[in-house]
Amino acid sequence: MNTKFVMSICLCCLLMITPVQAEEDNTRYEMLLEDVIYTFFYPLEKKATNEYFGEFKQSMFCKFVDVKRKPNMGYAYEITYQFKTFEGAHNPPFYLFTMTVENEELTNWVIKEVQVKKLNGEKVECRKPIQIQ
């Protein structure tokens, strides 16, 4: 009995001092950062949808397609992302916008290019903003 007790204590000590590296899940954090950037570009998105439809359309963020840093320009970027427009409570018709925006100065963002595709039954993965508890 003494041997089993000593072995149990040794095993417990070994488990307690063995380093354990937990795998971090940064998905929620990355989604939150995407939401912040998406919110920042919302006025440009609203301008693009107004120009295309002649009126405001509701939309939902889908994904960032590409992010390029402009060489030798500090915090200057060219960002391409997608969002989907819809009617009412997420009803068709659905349009997929692929929009490229860029900045020459820190906060002066402009639309560089907009491509629009009407979705005829194609499924495009989009998401609601991340909820923070």
Side-chain angles (χ1 to χ4, degrees), residues 49-67:
T49 58
N50 281 339
E51 286 178 5
Y52 187 80
F53 294 111
E55 63 183 348
F56 170 73
K57 295 288 183 179
Q58 297 178 68
S59 61
M60 180 179 286
F61 172 73
C62 296
K63 68 179 179 177
F64 285 102
V65 177
D66 193 25
V67 177

Side-chain angles (χ1 to χ4, degrees), residues 8-88:
S8 297
I9 296 292
C10 289
L11 183 60
C12 287
C13 289
L14 182 64
L15 289 174
M16 289 171 48
I17 63 171
T18 303
V20 176
Q21 186 167 1
E23 192 173 312
E24 291 184 34
D25 182 17
N26 290 327
T27 305
R28 289 181 56 80
Y29 181 72
E30 289 171 6
M31 290 172 70
L32 179 63
L33 290 177
E34 285 180 346
D35 289 348
V36 169
I37 295 168
Y38 177 69
T39 302
F40 187 74
F41 291 147
Y42 186 74
L44 295 174
E45 179 180 316
K46 189 173 180 180
K47 178 181 178 185
T49 58
N50 281 339
E51 286 178 5
Y52 187 80
F53 294 111
E55 63 183 348
F56 170 73
K57 295 288 183 179
Q58 297 178 68
S59 61
M60 180 179 286
F61 172 73
C62 296
K63 68 179 179 177
F64 285 102
V65 177
D66 193 25
V67 177
K68 295 178 186 171
R69 186 173 176 269
K70 294 183 180 180
N72 304 320
M73 294 187 72
Y75 290 101
Y77 298 92
E78 180 180 292
I79 299 173
T80 303
Y81 71 102
Q82 292 181 327
F83 61 92
K84 181 170 72 171
T85 62
F86 54 88
E87 301 278 334

